[in-house]
Amino acid sequence: DISMPDDVVMLYPNPTNDIIYIDFQGSQSTSYIVSSDGKVMQTFKTVPSSIDLSAYPKGIYYFTLRNNSHKLTKKIIKN
């Protein structure tokens, strides 16, 4: 996979207590949330505008976007 430019997606607020908002300026992509131990927590067929993380334990998670040839991963801190 080829990396997407880092500024294609913005996650805020980060760290978060519950909802993280996603500003995505790219083409159609699959996205998912992965825990720090590699477990896929949620998968999305598109890039949502927000994700509710309130049911997740505190910790570090990764938000990953993937399309046919590109991939981008961003760290999320859940307080």
Side-chain angles (χ1 to χ4, degrees), residues 1 3 6 8 11 17 19 24 28 30 33-34 36 40 42-44 48 50 54-56 58 62 66 70 77-78:
D1 289 334
S3 292
D6 197 50
V8 167
L11 305 175
N17 294 323
I19 300 205
F24 177 59
Q28 180 66 27
T30 302
I33 299 285
V34 179
S36 59
V40 176
Q42 276 185 280
T43 302
F44 308 92
S50 65
S54 60
Y56 291 16
K58 293 179 182 181
Y62 297 93
R66 181 185 296 267
H70 294 84
I77 299 170
K78 165 72 167 55

Side-chain angles (χ1 to χ4, degrees), residues 27-60:
S27 61
Q28 180 66 27
S29 298
T30 302
S31 57
Y32 43 97
I33 299 285
V34 179
S35 64
S36 59
D37 63 359
K39 180 181 175 189
V40 176
M41 306 295 287
Q42 276 185 280
T43 302
F44 308 92
K45 292 183 180 181
T46 60
V47 179
S49 59
S50 65
I51 301 172
D52 185 355
L53 302 177
S54 60
Y56 291 16
K58 293 179 182 181
I60 295 174

Side-chain angles (χ1 to χ4, degrees), residues 56-69:
Y56 291 16
K58 293 179 182 181
I60 295 174
Y61 297 89
Y62 297 93
F63 177 74
T64 299
L65 301 169
R66 181 185 296 267
N67 63 22
N68 292 337
S69 58

